[in-house]
C-alpha cells in the first residue's frame, strides 16, 4: 500500500493545497530525520565524524532527493564561513584538527541555544541530520531507504559514526505498514475460519 502524508484529504482541500504549494515551491513537506551516534571516545564534532556525516549528506542530496539539509556539519561550516568574512567558498569543513579546534572554541558559546540543540546535544555525544523532501509515497521511500542502507553499509565507516532513521515520517510509514499487515492477517484468519 502506497501511502502519503495527506492521503485522506480531497484534492481541493485547503490543507492539501497548502501542502502542495510548499511541495512545489520550497524544499518539500516530508520531513527526514536521522540520528547520528559517534563511535566510542568520539563526538559529533570530531573531524572524521564530520567528514563521514558530510558524505551521508551528499548522498542524501544527490540520490535520495533530500533538500534543506542540516546537521552538525552545518554548524561547523556556518561558523567557518562567518569567521572567514562570509564568503561562500568558505562554507566547508576545516582542513585539519587545528582549524577545527579554533572553530569549536566559537561553537562552545552556542551549545545551549535551541538552534544548536536541534542538531547536536550540548556535550556533542549525539547529533541529528534533518531535511525535507517531496512526499513521494511510502513505496518510493521504502526503496530509497533500502538504497540508503546499502550506501551506509558500503561507504560509511560504522566505527566512526552509526546512524538510524527516526522522526515522524518514518513512524507514519511503519505504522501504515503494520496496520496493513495486521489487516491482511486478520482478513486471512477470518476467511480461514
Amino acid at each position: 500500500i502506497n501511502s502519503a502524508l495527506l492521503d485522506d484529504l480531497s484534492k481541493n482541500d485547503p490543507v492539501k493545497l497548502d501542502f502542495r504549494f510548499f511541495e512545489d515551491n520550497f524544499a518539500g513537506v516530508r520531513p527526514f530525520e536521522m540520528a547520528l551516534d559517534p563511535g566510542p571516545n568520539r563526538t559529533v564534532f570530531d573531524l572524521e565524524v564530520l567528514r563521514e556525516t558530510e558524505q551521508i549528506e551528499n548522498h542524501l542530496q544527490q540520490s535520495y532527493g533530500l533538500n534543506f539539509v542540516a546537521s552538525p556539519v552545518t554548524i561547523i561550516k556556518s561558523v567557518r564561513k562567518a569567521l572567514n568574512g562570509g564568503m561562500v567558498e568558505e562554507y566547508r569543513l576545516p582542513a585539519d584538527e587545528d582549524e577545527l579546534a579554533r572553530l569549536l572554541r566559537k561553537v562552545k558559546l552556542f551549545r545551549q541555544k535551541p538552534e544548536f540543540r536541534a542538531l547536536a546535544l550540548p556535550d556533542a555525544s549525539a547529533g541529528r541530520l534533518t531535511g525535507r523532501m517531496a512526499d513521494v509515497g511510502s513505496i518510493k521511500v521504502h526503496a530509497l531507504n533500502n538504497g540508503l542502507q546499502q550506501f551506509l553499509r558500503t561507504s560509511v565507516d560504522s566505527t566512526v559514526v552509526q546512524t538510524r532513521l527516526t522522526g515522524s515520517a518514518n513512524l507514519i510509514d511503519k505504522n501504515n505498514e503494520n496496520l496493513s499487515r495486521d489487516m491482511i492477517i486478520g482478513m486471512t484468519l477470518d476467511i480461514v475460519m
Side-chain angles (χ1 to χ4, degrees):
I1 294 175
N2 190 25
S3 61
L5 295 178
L6 294 179
D7 270 343
D8 296 334
L9 298 177
S10 69
K11 197 174 195 173
N12 294 324
D13 186 281
V15 174
K16 192 157 192 165
L17 293 174
D18 288 346
F19 265 68
R20 180 65 48 214
F21 175 80
F22 281 97
E23 186 88 359
D24 294 340
N25 297 296
F26 292 97
V29 297
R30 183 184 173 86
F32 176 89
E33 306 282 335
M34 177 182 277
L36 303 170
D37 296 315
N41 302 317
R42 295 184 186 270
T43 71
V44 291
F45 294 120
D46 284 1
L47 193 53
E48 282 187 81
V49 175
L50 290 168
R51 287 180 178 150
E52 293 290 329
T53 304
E54 183 180 44
Q55 185 179 344
I56 296 167
E57 280 185 8
N58 292 337
H59 175 79
L60 288 168
Q61 289 172 319
Q62 294 165 3
S63 302
Y64 199 92
L66 201 62
N67 301 304
F68 194 68
V69 180
S71 74
V73 171
T74 309
I75 295 171
I76 297 299
K77 285 181 174 181
S78 297
V79 170
R80 186 181 191 288
K81 179 181 171 187
L83 292 176
N84 289 293
M87 306 294 290
V88 174
E89 60 270 10
E90 297 299 333
Y91 186 76
R92 58 184 170 82
L93 287 177
D96 55 40
E97 295 287 347
D98 292 335
E99 185 182 9
L100 179 61
R102 185 174 58 93
L103 295 174
L104 287 176
R105 284 192 293 275
K106 300 295 183 188
V107 168
K108 284 182 182 179
L109 301 173
F110 304 105
R111 285 199 174 176
Q112 297 302 326
K113 298 252 182 219
E115 300 86 12
F116 181 97
R117 293 177 67 119
L119 299 176
L121 293 178
D123 65 356
S125 62
R128 180 174 87 146
L129 189 152
T130 182
R132 295 236 172 244
M133 63 184 291
D135 191 14
V136 295
S138 58
I139 290 176
K140 175 110 191 237
V141 169
H142 184 70
L144 288 171
N145 287 343
N146 287 340
L148 175 61
Q149 293 302 328
Q150 177 66 24
F151 169 79
L152 294 171
R153 275 192 302 276
T154 59
S155 301
V156 176
D157 186 349
S158 62
T159 64
V160 175
V161 65
Q162 293 184 352
T163 63
R164 74 178 180 288
L165 293 175
T166 63
S168 58
N170 190 47
L171 287 175
I172 289 170
D173 287 343
K174 285 183 178 183
N175 186 48
N176 286 342
E177 186 179 318
N178 289 338
L179 183 64
S180 301
R181 186 193 67 233
D182 291 349
M183 282 177 39
I184 291 170
I185 291 170
M187 287 171 43
T188 302
L189 287 174
D190 287 346
I191 292 170
V192 168
M193 294 301 249

